[in-house]
Amino acid sequence: MVNLKELSKALELSQTTVSRALNGYPEVSAKTRDRVVEMARQLGYEPNLQARRLATGRSMAIGHVIPRSVHDMMNPIFLEFIAGAGQTYATHGYDMIISVVEDNNEEDAFREIASRKKADGVILQGPRINDRRHDLLDQLGLPFVVHGRITGAEERTSWIDVNNRRAFERATNLLIDLGHKRIALINGLETMDFAVRRRTGYETALQAHGLEPDQKLMSSADMTEPYGAETAIRLLKSQEPPTAFLVSSMISAIGVARGISLCGLRIGKDVSVITHDDALSFLPNSGEVPIFTCTRSSVRYAGIRAAEMIIQKVNEEGDEHAYEHLEAELILGQSTGPAP
Amino acid sequence: MVNLKELSKALELSQTTVSRALNGYPEVSAKTRDRVVEMARQLGYEPNLQARRLATGRSMAIGHVIPRSVHDMMNPIFLEFIAGAGQTYATHGYDMIISVVEDNNEEDAFREIASRKKADGVILQGPRINDRRHDLLDQLGLPFVVHGRITGAEERTSWIDVNNRRAFERATNLLIDLGHKRIALINGLETMDFAVRRRTGYETALQAHGLEPDQKLMSSADMTEPYGAETAIRLLKSQEPPTAFLVSSMISAIGVARGISLCGLRIGKDVSVITHDDALSFLPNSGEVPIFTCTRSSVRYAGIRAAEMIIQKVNEEGDEHAYEHLEAELILGQSTGPAP
DNA sequence: TTGAAAGCGTTACCAG
DNA sequence: CTGGTAACGCTTTCAA
């Protein structure tokens, strides 16, 4: 394990020059640089990260703080996002450090990242309604990118988000076009920013077609499989059952499908279903004709882009914020058909 | 942001003494220690991690390297494991660094962790048949704990694993006791160590009851939902359909259930299903009578224990290996009944 | 284009 | 019990 000192001794050059040659500084002659690079390769020199970090004051890492409650319910989505982000970090020489913390410790986690310089920047996960975390991060001087959006702080933060409102509006429109009038919304927890946007899109479409949103057809909870099944059954057995369901996640949609078939109904015939699909690898909804008609947006891609954004942000002094608004695709599958 | 120098100046003590007081060395007088601690609190002193890492040569981080292919199919399980591990790391002052790498880059990832001291130890994820990664890690001198087991290297590695063979043997026994004779195995990819163990348990139970394992009833693939559904349908429509399914993951089991109902059969009546349940938070299978009869083992708990093991390993010079063998619970749900 | 030397903020050895 | 001082391995300023 050679270090810079030994390497420079072997080359009969100063540490300074060797360091400069290796880090691509312009003022070293091409000849010396080649010699240095070659020798470094031969001796298997790898700069010590801790030393570099100490010297530069940069940790070359990005932090992801995941509150337990959020993690619990969005687990698969997170990992997919993280996988995308991790890929990008790797190619840029950044490490990814992940902290899964109890909900009430999230602030401390951020403070520690900032004060002990564990990371040069962070990704803000799972923005909530009235989220104040961006204030804390600004105050800590910790650069960040929001995965999702904080309503009301769009101009004061960098973020990447799916156009959830529009996706759900389009999905609702499709159902209405198919003749559905009673459309249920099986939404995620509406303490989450994205869930509210989705409901807005749904309500907007209904109202644009003269349909009055019916509270009895809307529900909001953690997006588990049983939640989908139970809600579907409850609604299908009610006085005025819906003929279609708009669901916030594949997991719950699978539950909804189960509920529908438990009620002796056929999905795509008696009852239509559209779900949002995050394109998770273990829940493929592809093929010629996907099982579920869906609004699809790759959360892995979002991770890739979020990572690129935070890296850029960390490296630039510029104070401007960057946004990226992704449009979901509306993909026709087997789970929708004309209203009976 | 005070540093040690300023803190010691404020106290009119040497850096040495202050450092010792803060790090709990015994040779500091109680009085001085109190004074130091108090002043540190007042000034909000927090030791710089990078400096400490450089000085001690320890990175105070544990690495998790996740090959893409493995990630893709086991995504939810990984994050649950990681959540457990992360919790433990946090309480012990360790960081968790995650690398999601292309399959053919896994070796490089380990080498880099070792040579650049990115982490003091790693968790080896998703052991495969004829896995050689432990050799590499030994050679790199990087302490590690296997999540799962490497058949043939049990004595030469530290590991934590569920007793998969036994779990599947018991599950098969239960089905046999219920009168089932044609039991299908919907297994994970049998390039994975755990999948082979599961099949062994299944075959052992069959043979112990004089039933000949039938290759036509066994399948092995990535554990997606459609895989479960398609395989179930194919088998149920075959010449000699099974009356029961033993499934390797909740996700595929949900697919199996869908397949069964698409065939017009009732789960728990016409066809029985037992699945392995990793106790993922977004796929709850609990309640009074769980939907699926299952062999259950918390993968989050495995993460917690694995983290404890690697931390201990990193901190001790001892060369002995540690093992932990978890027994899965066999839990009766609604998806099993007597053979028709 | 190159080099000497001063940091970066700790920990750890050796004296006293 | 306390302090001086030398690492730790790199980057960066200042001079040449």
Side-chain angles (χ1 to χ4, degrees):
Chain A
M1 191 97 333
V2 291
N3 57 23
L4 188 59
K5 198 189 212 165
E6 292 158 11
L7 176 60
S8 50
K9 191 164 297 170
L11 285 157
E12 299 193 307
L13 282 170
S14 72
Q15 295 192 22
T16 316
T17 305
V18 176
S19 169
R20 280 196 281 235
L22 257 21
N23 289 305
Y25 281 61
E27 64 258 38
V28 6
S29 77
K31 207 174 82 185
T32 347
R33 166 162 294 132
D34 290 349
R35 215 159 64 80
V36 170
V37 169
E38 172 56 18
M39 182 67 85
R41 204 190 48 70
Q42 263 182 41
L43 302 187
Y45 168 73
E46 304 215 32
N48 176 306
L49 277 182
Q50 332 293 351
R52 172 180 285 174
R53 296 205 242 240
L54 179 58
T56 59
R58 304 181 53 191
S59 66
M60 294 303 284
I62 303 294
H64 290 237
V65 176
I66 306 182
R68 259 282 272 295
S69 69
V70 177
H71 159 272
D72 279 356
M73 291 315 153
M74 317 235 304
N75 162 330
I77 295 170
F78 266 125
L79 193 52
E80 194 82 9
F81 180 85
I82 281 170
Q87 237 175 293
T88 304
Y89 295 144
T91 63
H92 291 258
Y94 278 78
D95 281 344
M96 170 167 65
I97 90 172
I98 305 235
S99 317
V100 181
V101 301
E102 297 306 320
D103 289 42
N104 48 356
N105 288 344
E106 194 177 356
E107 271 209 16
D108 289 347
F110 282 134
R111 284 184 196 287
E112 194 170 308
I113 287 175
S115 66
R116 313 189 66 157
K117 299 218 167 59
K118 286 190 168 185
D120 299 326
V122 297
I123 301 286
L124 190 46
Q125 310 270 16
R128 300 182 280 264
I129 295 299
N130 294 322
D131 210 313
R132 287 281 126 217
R133 286 177 289 177
H134 62 288
D135 287 339
L136 173 65
L137 292 175
D138 277 342
Q139 176 192 324
L140 292 172
L142 199 56
F144 66 97
V145 167
V146 183
H147 175 209
R149 242 180 310 170
I150 301 180
T151 300
E154 283 96 341
E155 305 298 323
R156 295 184 289 121
T157 56
S158 290
W159 49 263
I160 176 165
D161 196 13
V162 176
N163 193 337
N164 282 297
R165 188 196 50 66
R166 188 144 206 289
F168 271 51
E169 185 177 341
R170 289 181 65 204
T172 308
N173 281 338
L174 171 61
L175 290 170
I176 294 173
D177 290 347
L178 285 167
H180 295 277
K181 296 207 154 28
R182 294 190 56 74
I183 301 169
L185 175 68
I186 314 287
N187 206 357
L189 262 188
E190 292 183 359
T191 51
M192 306 296 284
D193 204 291
F194 73 90
V196 173
R197 293 175 189 280
R198 289 178 179 180
R199 180 158 53 73
T200 304
Y202 159 82
E203 291 176 339
T204 304
L206 289 180
Q207 283 160 346
H209 290 81
L211 297 169
E212 200 48 45
D214 180 351
Q215 286 300 333
K216 291 195 292 295
L217 289 180
M218 301 185 214
S219 61
S220 155
D222 284 333
M223 300 182 290
T224 64
E225 200 271 355
Y227 161 57
E230 286 158 18
T231 311
I233 293 172
R234 177 169 59 72
L235 290 175
L236 288 172
K237 292 196 168 158
S238 70
Q239 295 286 339
E240 299 180 287
T243 62
F245 288 89
L246 187 50
V247 191
S248 247
S249 96
M250 280 283 291
I251 307 268
S252 299
I254 287 170
V256 168
R258 181 162 63 87
I260 290 172
S261 88
L262 281 176
C263 287
L265 298 168
R266 293 158 307 169
I267 188 168
K269 299 281 281 178
D270 306 310
V271 184
S272 288
V273 175
I274 301 184
T275 182
H276 185 73
D277 177 359
D278 293 289
L280 308 182
S281 41
F282 68 103
L283 277 180
N285 180 36
S286 43
E288 295 276 313
V289 185
I291 296 174
F292 287 106
T293 296
C294 64
T295 56
R296 183 183 298 157
S297 176
S298 163
V299 68
R300 173 185 292 243
Y301 176 75
I304 292 174
R305 289 292 300 127
E308 288 169 359
M309 288 168 74
I310 187 66
I311 288 175
Q312 184 163 22
K313 204 167 167 111
V314 158
N315 285 310
E316 305 213 337
E317 289 307 313
D319 242 2
E320 309 99 43
H321 290 299
Y323 325 104
E324 185 152 340
H325 214 175
L326 308 170
E327 288 299 335
E329 298 172 283
L330 181 54
I331 294 176
L332 224 52
Q334 307 170 28
S335 64
T336 40
Chain B
M1 192 97 332
V2 292
N3 58 22
L4 189 59
K5 198 189 213 164
E6 291 157 14
L7 178 59
S8 51
K9 191 164 295 169
L11 283 158
E12 300 195 306
L13 282 171
S14 73
Q15 292 188 210
T16 316
T17 306
V18 175
S19 171
R20 281 195 281 233
L22 259 19
N23 289 304
Y25 282 62
E27 65 257 36
V28 186
S29 78
K31 208 172 83 185
T32 346
R33 166 162 294 132
D34 290 349
R35 214 160 65 81
V36 170
V37 170
E38 172 55 19
M39 182 67 85
R41 204 190 50 70
Q42 264 183 40
L43 302 188
Y45 168 73
E46 304 213 32
N48 177 306
L49 277 182
Q50 333 292 353
R52 171 180 285 175
R53 296 205 242 239
L54 178 57
T56 59
R58 305 181 50 190
S59 66
M60 294 303 285
I62 303 294
H64 290 237
V65 175
I66 306 183
R68 258 283 271 294
S69 69
V70 177
H71 160 273
D72 279 355
M73 52 193 189
M74 316 235 304
N75 163 329
I77 294 170
F78 266 126
L79 193 53
E80 193 82 10
F81 180 86
I82 280 169
Q87 235 174 294
T88 304
Y89 296 144
T91 63
H92 290 259
Y94 277 78
D95 281 344
M96 170 167 66
I97 90 173
I98 306 239
S99 318
V100 181
V101 301
E102 296 306 321
D103 289 43
N104 47 355
N105 288 343
E106 195 178 355
E107 270 208 17
D108 289 346
F110 282 133
R111 284 184 197 286
E112 193 169 309
I113 288 176
S115 67
R116 313 188 68 155
K117 300 219 165 59
K118 286 190 169 186
D120 298 325
V122 296
I123 301 286
L124 190 46
Q125 309 270 16
R128 300 182 280 264
I129 295 299
N130 294 323
D131 210 313
R132 286 282 124 217
R133 287 177 288 176
H134 62 287
D135 287 339
L136 173 64
L137 293 175
D138 278 340
Q139 178 193 323
L140 292 172
L142 198 56
F144 66 97
V145 167
V146 183
H147 176 207
R149 241 180 309 170
I150 302 180
T151 300
E154 284 96 340
E155 306 297 323
R156 295 184 291 121
T157 56
S158 289
W159 49 264
I160 176 165
D161 195 13
V162 176
N163 192 336
N164 281 296
R165 189 196 48 66
R166 188 147 207 287
F168 272 50
E169 185 177 340
R170 289 181 65 204
T172 308
N173 281 338
L174 171 62
L175 290 170
I176 294 173
D177 290 347
L178 285 168
H180 295 278
K181 296 206 155 26
R182 293 191 58 74
I183 302 169
L185 175 68
I186 314 288
N187 206 358
L189 262 189
E190 292 184 359
T191 52
M192 306 296 283
D193 203 291
F194 73 90
V196 173
R197 292 174 189 281
R198 289 179 179 179
R199 179 159 53 74
T200 304
Y202 158 82
E203 291 176 340
T204 304
L206 289 180
Q207 283 160 344
H209 291 80
L211 297 169
E212 201 46 46
D214 180 351
Q215 287 298 334
K216 290 194 292 298
L217 290 180
M218 301 185 215
S219 61
S220 156
D222 283 337
M223 301 181 289
T224 64
E225 201 271 354
Y227 161 55
E230 286 158 18
T231 311
I233 292 171
R234 177 169 58 72
L235 290 176
L236 288 171
K237 292 196 168 157
S238 69
Q239 296 286 339
E240 298 179 286
T243 61
F245 288 89
L246 187 50
V247 190
S248 247
S249 96
M250 280 283 292
I251 309 267
S252 299
I254 288 171
V256 167
R258 181 162 64 86
I260 291 172
S261 87
L262 280 175
C263 287
L265 298 167
R266 294 159 305 169
I267 187 168
K269 299 279 282 178
D270 306 311
V271 184
S272 288
V273 175
I274 300 184
T275 181
H276 185 74
D277 177 358
D278 292 289
L280 308 182
S281 41
F282 68 102
L283 278 180
N285 181 36
S286 43
E288 295 276 313
V289 185
I291 296 173
F292 287 106
T293 296
C294 65
T295 55
R296 184 183 298 158
S297 176
S298 164
V299 67
R300 174 185 290 243
Y301 176 75
I304 293 174
R305 289 291 300 127
E308 289 169 358
M309 287 168 74
I310 187 65
I311 288 175
Q312 184 163 22
K313 206 168 165 112
V314 158
N315 284 309
E316 306 212 338
E317 289 307 314
D319 240 3
E320 310 98 44
H321 290 300
Y323 326 104
E324 185 153 339
H325 213 175
L326 307 170
E327 288 299 336
E329 297 174 283
L330 181 54
I331 294 176
L332 224 53
Q334 306 171 28
S335 65
T336 40

